[in-house]
Amino acid sequence: MSINKNILIFLLTAIGLIVLPHIENLPPSVTGYFYLLLSWRFLGVWKPQWLPSKLMLLLLTVIGIAILYGLHEGIFGRDAGTRLFVTALGLKLLEIKSERDLYLIVFLAFIVATSLFLYQQSIFMAAYILVVCCVLLGTLVCINSNRSQTWQSLKTASEIVAQAIPMTIVIFILFPRVEAPKWMYFNDKHQARTGLSDNMEPGAISNLAMSDELVFRVQFTGAIPPSAQRYWRGPVLTHTDGKRWTQNRNGLSQKIDQPTFTGNAYQYTLLMEPQDKNWVFALDLPAEVAAPLRRNSHYQLVTSANPDKRTEYHITSYPTYNTGTITKDEYQEATQLPGPASANVTQLVQRLHGFDRSPDIFINQLLNHFKTEDFYYTLTPPLMQENPIEQFLFESHRGFCEHYATAFVYLMRVAHIPARVVTGYQGGELNQIGNFLDIKQAYAHAWAEVWLDQRGWVRVDPTAAIAPERIEQNINIDQQIARGIISFTPNTALAAVDWLKNARQLWGNVDYQWQRWVINYDNKNQSQFLSSLGISDLKTMIYWMADIIGVITAVLCWLLLRNPSKTVDPAVLAYQRFCKKLAKNGLIKKPGEGAKDFAFRAKRQLPEQATGIEHITQLFIKLHYGKQHGKNDLQQLNRMVAAFKGKR
Amino acid sequence: MHNDLDQLLQTANQIILGKPRQIRLAVCCLLAQGHLLIEDIPGVGKTTLSHTLAKLLGLNYQRIQFTSDILPADIIGASIFNAQTHSFSFHPGAIFNQMVLADEINRATPKAQSALLEAMEEHQVTVEGKTYPLPAPFFVIATQNPSHQIGTFPLPESQLDRFLMRIELGYPDHRAEKALLSGQRRHDLIDSLPVKLPPERLQQLQKAVTRVHASDALLDYCLAIINYTRSSPDYHCGLSPRAGLALLTAAKAWAFMNQRDAVIPEDVQAVLAAVAGHRLRSGNTNSEAIVQPILSNVAVL
């Protein structure tokens, strides 16, 4: 084999690096198979006799197909396609015979590198792929130059990449964004996301999963609301069977009064991470929404855009509002009970003046009850399967937000006060550098809403009523601060970890901007951005593109034409045509062979063409190397070459 | 003009049998106003070649036999006290001749070698603060034994660079050797040689050589060769700018000898082994093999 050992090691290393992040995305059988083949090939660099024979290779191919078949995914879709490419790449590695194979492998590797973006679009991944592509390009440089020094090739490759980056940015910004049609979004069955659901069963969960996953980010124009006002409204649960609370789907589109807003408004930009559901979590209570957003009759925002894509929304919310009167349907929905209340419950409601005093007093009494009695906040409550609300109220006294909210709403309804459970997120971590809020899955929350005469729907958070000393110790500190459950002023102990927090916030900010400006740069954002530059329609955009391309071309032309010897002599072109004709007779000019020597060789092989060859060669030498030549010499050369008959 | 040259070559070929290419290169070197280094084992006709050329060109000729005890003064000359005039007078050495044969140059010590080589480069000699110009035309033919022989001081690369060309003569072929054995004594033949190209004609020709045209395309080819020697791992060090100039001058002379007014790549290729061989790898005497990768890898067009 004539392939340089250095090039092979270089190429194999680059490919090993490219497939590395796929370990997370692909089943172990595929990556295992691939890395087995790769290490085999690595061994083959030093021990070529150990490389598999044709038969063995066939067997390996069959094994590869069997692995793919065993995964039952076909060859379409994101996962299946990536697996196919990785398997093919591994097999092709064992079949390097000529330079052509190297090129094929490099291009396959580029495809596999691109496929990484289908799984992850973070800055880290982009930087990683850029570096790995540099190494791959270095292999190409190595193959194509007679230098085999690794560092030299890597340097050339990074120069190429560095030169390509400005061009990429221009094209990224200006080139029309192509929205992939819906069928091209590969729906992957295995991709399950955590998040809020449209039902709730407080007793069923004994250990709440706390996830650090980001749900959305909010950037305010102007003031940021205090922590106590950061209630991000999600689905409203109204119907219960005693254990399970669900959304009343029929009630979502009924006609209701427009709420009246007073006081200051908060304006903000909300960047939703990809979701399963089409919910958008707005600050209580959102006003004035534009398409694709819609506000349903529970004042929850839903979007008609694809929730699987990261999308940005502009929303205005008012913390003080009055939703006005309540419809009959709403009243029924909000006072629904699974059956008659038990004696214990009725007694409790009676004791707290639920039946004989105003709702305000009852609410305060109930919150006070949670505070003064022995209620605990814990993320690991006991299982309550039989009758969760009563068990919670009278026996265990232990639970988290869902338990408190459902119990509260249940008791309200027993007292004939319209009430419902609102789920969503509470709080948010402020990134001081970017001045935006991060809302993570861990901030999921449930609270209650009661309808009061003259005031409309009023938010009540029973979880906030629990005495601070009865909060379980192992709860995430961040979460407690965010929820306003505990509060403290920063002390010296925390100052030590301050810089760590700063660094995290800085990174969070970079990530947010990356998501907003790079990943989320779609058709709409592009036209918005371009119109802010004064490019409003397609025509101006084309002018811009043409101008920029023109400028770049001009610069390149200047760089190239600065050195006039680089331009191709038309005589050389004619002579090359002549050589092509001779090549048909098997007379191939060696690169180091001069025209005269070549003519000498050609004349001996084609004696009958000798005069033609002699004339053309002499004329070419005169034109290309001579001191001076006539005006018609070039034309004559062209004519003679055209008239020259290559075939015998 | 070319007639004279052809006659000169023809006559020389009658004296030194079977070496037309080497003679051509030697004359080419002369026309390019460079110095010539002949490297070969003793007895293959190095001295005969230089003697023949001197005779045919009508140049006054002096041979310096280099030995390990030769001193710079033996080459350059020395000031000797004249008792009659009570002053020192300069007695020029062997170098004050139009054609100098420095025989077995690598037998001398570096000190003596450098005295000769400095004179070659500067065309003048400075003794005791006084500068004496060397005659024109001035042409040095140095011979050297292969450096692996006992008692030699190989010339350093920097001094090898001063020779425009290095050629090897090699053994004559069967027919030439037989003709040599059966023919007249070479020494007698040389003595009876007529002058074919008087010095003033030689200088005219040398001037004409400088007027040979080298096109842009050809300069690119020369540069490609130079760059190749600098970047290729085959060569320990590449050709210097001086070597590049030497290559072009020699190619011009070669083109001129072939009755062309412009240099073509074949001219460069013809002189490349002689011009570049000793500059690229001094230890190796097979110049053709040294430059072979250049000839086959550097594209002409």
Side-chain angles (χ1 to χ4, degrees), chain B residues 38-116:
Chain B
I38 307 177
E39 183 169 308
D40 225 317
I41 50 167
V44 289
K46 295 182 295 244
T47 319
T48 315
L49 172 65
S50 49
H51 210 157
T52 308
L53 285 179
K55 199 81 188 167
L56 287 172
L57 295 164
L59 303 173
N60 54 39
Y61 169 80
Q62 181 72 54
R63 170 183 170 158
I64 312 170
Q65 180 64 47
F66 277 55
T67 54
S68 54
D69 57 355
I70 198 169
L71 293 171
D74 298 333
I75 302 165
I76 294 166
S79 297
I80 291 168
F81 186 72
N82 188 332
Q84 284 162 358
T85 57
H86 290 278
S87 64
F88 283 96
S89 64
F90 180 66
H91 285 244
I95 201 159
F96 287 86
N97 279 294
Q98 286 171 315
M99 181 176 272
V100 177
L101 172 66
D103 215 359
E104 301 193 81
I105 189 171
N106 61 343
R107 289 225 184 276
T109 52
K111 194 174 179 181
Q113 285 174 1
S114 62
L116 171 74

Side-chain angles (χ1 to χ4, degrees), chain A residues 146-149 564-566 569 572 575-576 579 589-599 620-621 624-628, chain B residues 211-218 220-221 228 231-233 260-266 269 294-301:
Chain A
N146 55 2
R147 303 166 277 185
S148 47
Q149 287 111 328
S565 63
K566 284 279 176 353
D569 187 347
V572 173
Y575 185 70
Q576 277 165 348
C579 289
K589 188 178 153 308
K590 292 176 207 136
E593 199 174 23
K596 200 159 155 270
D597 289 347
F598 179 56
F620 167 68
I621 287 175
H624 197 51
Y625 300 111
K627 211 175 205 167
Q628 54 203 6
Chain B
R211 286 196 295 267
V212 171
H213 177 70
S215 68
D216 240 19
L218 185 102
D220 280 344
Y221 177 61
Y228 180 85
S231 66
S232 165
R260 258 182 270 110
D261 62 350
V263 191
I264 63 171
E266 279 85 342
Q269 293 178 347
I294 306 179
L295 292 179
S296 53
N297 286 341
V298 178
V300 170
L301 286 185

Side-chain angles (χ1 to χ4, degrees), chain A residues 133-209:
Chain A
C133 281
C134 257
V135 181
L136 257 189
L137 269 181
T139 334
L140 279 181
V141 172
C142 236
I143 297 170
N144 279 297
S145 67
N146 55 2
R147 303 166 277 185
S148 47
Q149 287 111 328
T150 316
W151 282 114
Q152 201 62 40
S153 310
L154 272 182
K155 215 183 119 201
T156 315
S158 17
E159 269 168 24
I160 293 171
V161 170
Q163 283 165 353
I165 283 175
M167 198 70 190
T168 316
I169 291 172
V170 169
I171 293 175
F172 178 81
I173 292 173
L174 287 181
F175 199 79
R177 313 297 296 176
V178 181
E179 298 282 310
K182 270 244 158 53
W183 59 266
M184 273 187 69
Y185 290 111
F186 304 120
N187 288 321
D188 282 287
K189 297 155 207 157
H190 309 299
Q191 204 179 5
R193 292 199 177 95
T194 56
L196 292 184
S197 70
D198 56 359
N199 64 70
M200 196 160 97
E201 210 176 330
I205 314 161
S206 70
N207 202 343
L208 189 61

Side-chain angles (χ1 to χ4, degrees), chain A residues 338-385:
Chain A
S342 69
N344 265 345
V345 173
T346 333
Q347 223 178 348
L348 179 67
V349 174
Q350 187 134 39
R351 190 152 54 84
L352 300 172
H353 307 289
F355 297 121
D356 49 357
R357 305 286 285 270
S358 75
D360 273 336
I361 291 170
F362 177 49
I363 291 167
N364 280 334
Q365 289 280 337
L366 184 51
L367 293 180
N368 210 26
H369 176 72
F370 284 143
K371 195 170 191 163
T372 49
E373 294 295 315
D374 218 14
F375 280 94
Y376 288 90
Y377 184 91
T378 172
L379 292 175
T380 52
L383 271 182
M384 294 170 259
Q385 268 157 345

